[in-house]
Amino acid sequence: MAETKKLFIKTYGCQMNVYDSERMGEALEASGYVTTQTPDDADMILLNTCHIREKAAEKIYSELGRMKAHKVNNPDLKIGVAGCVAQAEGREIMRRQPAVDLVVGPQSYHRLAEMEAKTRRGEKALDTDFPIEDKFEVLKNRPKARRAPTAFLTVQEGCDKFCAFCVVPYTRGAESSRPVQRIVDEAKDLVERGVREITLLGQNVNAYHGAGIDGNEWGLAQLIWELDKVDGLERIRFTTSHPNDMQDDLIEAHEHCSKLMPYLHLPVQSGSDRILKRMNRSHTAESYLRLIERIRKARPDILMSGDFIVGFPEETEADFQATLDLIEEVRYGYAYSFKYSTRPGTPAAERAQVDDAEANERLQRLQALIFRQQMEIQQSMVGREVTVLLEKPGRDSGQMVGKSEYLHAVHINDCTAQPGDLVKARITEAVRNSLAGAMV
Ligand code: 5AD
Ligand code: SF4
């Protein structure tokens, strides 16, 4: 048995990175690493990075500057960069920050142990290939440690859509889906370790098209129905979806599959057809609204969430107004909104940029509207009965916190149940980012 070393992983960006960070931790267990919560005593620091907006990428270099200081007290410390910045910038990272020992792209995590060994020999390790072997297969043999009641499970990676603003097709590569059986096996393994709710992850999750159990290609709805059969798995979610891949059977699953939760993250980005076209989204505001109508017909109480970009090149006040109009019509329970950020190498980077102050002002207006909707929806929950999957004790004594079907955080006082339990609660109060409920 190798001596124990400490691994500190800092995760940026999306949920796929959260999942990948766990897998990286497991990949390095074989080399004698246990994860630690602080960089202070670490033998290896890994930054699992995000490249989606400029700010996210720039943050990495300032963080690397801080992490480098730990090498003064610990000359054996190795520093690595993983994730999408690693994929996009590769060796350039080591040039800009020579303290970096290792750079690994999202498709190469199964080679981490080898790469770590290389750094121990005093060499630099770099791998940003898109290899053909299944990285998840190599990473799967892990110990049966107890898990939290909720977990992520990556089922699909990459994107073929090429929205004009987005780096994902370049950093994560082409769409690829894991076979159904492997996903089901992983889900069963998670359930054995205490997981009750699984969120299926993919950059374009509803474009899932994996090898099915019968040898045919299966879509996301078929995968969900297969997971529905897993005893002990109580809840299924999936994210992130594209409007163009919302097939009928997936909409029907929202009507008939009781384990599938009534929450859907369906980014639209803009409400202006002119801008949507310039974004290469290949849907219109109208087709998006009709789609939501169909989804709500199948599952009337579904909570909608979305992503918005303001200040996309050439966006006028009228275009922006169309986005506000669309938001008014949809009524979102959650939304993520971003000011357009130029990504070198993407088509939109070459176009006339919107004035920064103008874009900031639009972002504020949009966020104010979203916030109002969010609060209205949370207020409308008061008096209603929800089912809460308890996750952990709350701040106050006797209090537990969990999530409702709609992904609202719910605090329950005087709660006698345990993490992992599903309890019925009546909502008594809506506060800024959560709800308070009482057990019924
Ligand atoms: N600028 C701003 N926001 C972006 N997103 C993706 N690329 C950019 C960009 N260049 C947003 C989109 C996407 C979310 C994950 O990030 O809204 O849905
Ligand atoms: Fe990026 Fe568009 Fe693909 Fe989403 S669908 S990952 S926004 S290119």
Side-chain angles (χ1 to χ4, degrees), residues 259-422:
K259 289 187 183 178
L260 187 57
M261 291 295 103
Y263 177 98
L264 182 64
H265 184 61
L266 196 63
V268 65
Q269 314 296 357
S270 168
S272 153
D273 288 345
R274 196 179 71 87
I275 294 297
L276 285 169
K277 201 161 184 176
R278 300 289 285 147
M279 286 177 165
N280 192 30
R281 290 287 295 180
S282 57
H283 60 76
T284 62
E286 183 63 21
S287 69
Y288 178 82
L289 290 169
R290 294 295 79 80
L291 174 62
I292 290 186
E293 225 169 58
R294 279 166 55 217
I295 296 165
R296 284 199 166 132
K297 209 163 156 210
R299 183 75 207 222
D301 62 339
I302 200 160
L303 198 102
M304 293 304 304
S305 124
D307 287 347
F308 298 91
I309 295 179
V310 303
F312 185 77
E314 301 156 23
E315 184 188 70
T316 63
E317 175 61 26
D319 292 318
F320 175 65
Q321 192 57 51
T323 302
L324 296 182
D325 293 346
L326 177 137
I327 294 172
E328 289 280 9
E329 193 159 342
V330 173
R331 298 187 73 241
Y332 288 94
Y334 294 91
Y336 304 86
S337 48
F338 314 97
K339 189 170 72 171
Y340 171 71
S341 166
T342 310
R343 308 313 290 128
T346 60
E350 311 297 322
R351 301 182 193 157
Q353 307 293 315
V354 169
D355 174 68
D356 195 52
E358 183 84 38
N360 280 327
E361 195 257 346
R362 286 181 195 163
L363 185 62
Q364 276 179 21
R365 279 155 68 199
L366 186 144
Q367 287 179 341
L369 171 60
I370 294 281
F371 182 68
R372 206 185 69 218
Q373 290 193 339
Q374 204 170 315
M375 289 315 288
E376 278 169 13
I377 290 178
Q378 287 193 202
Q379 281 298 340
S380 75
M381 296 302 299
V382 175
R384 279 179 59 182
E385 196 180 296
V386 294
T387 307
V388 180
L389 174 60
L390 298 177
E391 289 178 15
K392 56 181 187 229
R395 224 175 290 150
D396 304 340
S397 131
Q399 190 185 58
M400 293 288 271
V401 199
K403 298 270 166 56
S404 76
E405 302 89 321
Y406 310 102
L407 214 55
H408 286 128
V410 181
H411 296 255
I412 303 176
N413 289 331
D414 307 316
C415 186
T416 48
Q418 298 303 312
D421 289 347
L422 284 161

Side-chain angles (χ1 to χ4, degrees), residues 130-167:
F130 285 94
I132 42 166
E133 70 261 22
D134 182 346
K135 66 168 176 180
F136 297 111
E137 263 312 277
V138 187
L139 294 178
K140 82 174 179 195
N141 294 321
R142 47 215 155 101
K144 298 256 174 209
R146 195 81 193 150
R147 295 274 306 243
T150 63
F152 295 130
L153 202 174
T154 295
V155 303
Q156 181 275 344
E157 277 193 286
C159 181
D160 297 338
K161 298 274 188 300
F162 291 93
C163 296
F165 48 81
C166 187
V167 286

Side-chain angles (χ1 to χ4, degrees), residues 410-413 424-428 436-440:
V410 181
H411 296 255
I412 303 176
N413 289 331
K424 293 239 180 282
R426 188 166 305 284
I427 302 303
T428 53
M439 270 173 88
V440 291

